Amino acid sequence: MQLEYFQLIDRIVDLNVSERTITVEAQVPLQNTIFEGHFPGYPIMPGVLLIEAMAQTSGWLLIALMKFERMPFLGAVKEAKMRGFVSPGELLKIDASVVHEGSGFAITAAKVSVGGELRCNATITFRHIPFPNPDLRGHMEAMAKRIGFPQQAIAHD
Amino acid sequence: MSSTFDQVATIIAETCDIPRDTITPESHAIDDLGIDSLDFLDIAFAIDKAFGIKLPLEKWTQEVNDGKATTEQYFVLENLSARIDELVAAKGA
């Protein structure tokens, strides 16, 4: 997890295109300036970043389903529930699945757990469009390799 | 069994918190009911689920942007309902 670069997930543990599910891991850093303010003397991971982590996890699943030809963008977050605190140094397991694939949009359900204990979950809506430029696609492909995105899921045209 | 329009109107009323009695077959979802594109995704999701179809929103938007269709053709509710009926019929064919 590189909070400064808004990279919230570290590695894809499982990506099942036919089941439309993904599982990733993310290591919360032990130290970060964010924890100095959130909160002084009682550091916990901000809920908005946990939502972003669930959105990024869902995003990689959608990219895989769309054969790396389209980019999902966050549209709406519903029923986001912060059920327990996430502390510095904890290892997150984030699962996401597709609830609905519409025309130009998709809805996912995602959850974050630590050691088998559910910490938060949300339903997330994305709009997706063809990659707007080669730079973004190249950046996403490079990141995909870094986090263990199945290379066969990257279409080459 | 309620008509397609009735089902669509109920979905819109419940999804967007719009009084059901203000929604008529002549209502334009965008111009009259003030539904924006993001809110329309919730409606599309509910319609897709209720009718077992996939509203081709991208295709419709492209046609409107290209000047090949008007928003009235797809977003006036009686027309939207007719498009839904066509999609349901095509699915069963």
Side-chain angles (χ1 to χ4, degrees):
Chain A
M1 190 178 279
Q2 291 184 283
L3 295 176
E4 294 79 2
Y5 292 93
F6 229 54
Q7 292 172 9
L8 276 297
I9 68 171
D10 294 325
R11 71 194 70 84
I12 294 173
V13 176
D14 184 58
L15 198 167
N16 189 323
V17 172
S18 58
E19 295 289 325
R20 304 193 301 175
T21 60
I22 189 172
T23 300
V24 312
E25 284 183 341
Q27 181 74 53
V28 180
L30 267 173
Q31 292 191 324
N32 192 278
T33 53
I34 284 173
F35 299 131
E36 293 174 18
H38 194 281
F39 293 97
Y42 194 68
I44 56 173
M45 186 76 166
V48 289
L49 292 179
L50 293 172
I51 290 171
E52 176 63 22
M54 291 189 281
Q56 290 187 11
T57 302
S58 299
W60 284 112
L61 172 59
L62 296 177
I63 285 175
L65 294 177
M66 298 182 293
K67 304 186 189 308
F68 230 100
E69 289 173 354
R70 297 172 69 93
M71 177 75 184
F73 293 93
L74 184 60
V77 180
K78 292 182 183 173
E79 297 293 326
K81 294 183 177 174
M82 304 300 121
R83 298 172 184 276
F85 293 147
V86 170
S87 302
E90 289 193 309
L91 179 65
L92 310 183
K93 174 174 169 278
I94 311 171
D95 297 291
S97 60
V98 172
V99 173
H100 184 69
E101 285 182 275
S103 169
F105 75 100
I107 299 171
T108 67
K111 63 180 180 181
V112 175
S113 52
V114 177
E117 180 184 303
L118 181 63
R119 297 291 174 88
C120 63
N121 63 291
T123 302
I124 308 173
T125 300
F126 297 83
R127 285 194 257 219
H128 52 73
I129 59 172
F131 274 98
N133 61 50
D135 281 355
L136 177 59
R137 180 170 174 155
H139 171 78
M140 295 303 289
E141 286 191 355
M143 194 185 298
K145 283 180 187 154
R146 204 159 56 236
I147 64 172
F149 187 92
Q151 294 303 294
Q152 66 271 23
I154 300 179
H156 294 280
D157 43 6
Chain B
M1 188 176 162
S2 61
S3 71
T4 300
F5 165 74
D6 286 328
Q7 290 184 71
V8 170
T10 300
I11 285 170
I12 291 174
E14 290 175 353
T15 306
C16 298
D17 202 18
I18 295 172
R20 171 64 183 84
D21 57 6
T22 65
I23 303 171
T24 70
E26 295 77 32
S27 299
H28 191 300
I30 302 163
D31 297 342
D32 297 327
L33 302 178
I35 298 166
D36 68 16
S37 62
L38 187 57
D39 285 334
F40 202 83
L41 296 187
D42 287 333
I43 294 168
F45 172 42
I47 289 175
D48 287 358
K49 212 166 48 166
F51 293 93
I53 57 173
K54 186 167 168 176
L55 282 186
L57 291 181
E58 280 198 300
K59 177 170 167 279
W60 291 355
T61 304
Q62 192 63 50
E63 288 177 8
V64 169
N65 290 343
D66 292 346
K68 294 175 181 166
T70 64
T71 59
E72 285 76 10
Q73 286 175 252
Y74 298 126
F75 297 105
V76 168
L77 298 192
E78 61 187 352
N79 298 337
L80 176 62
S81 301
R83 300 288 91 74
I84 292 168
D85 288 340
E86 289 168 5
L87 290 163
V88 171
K91 187 186 68 168

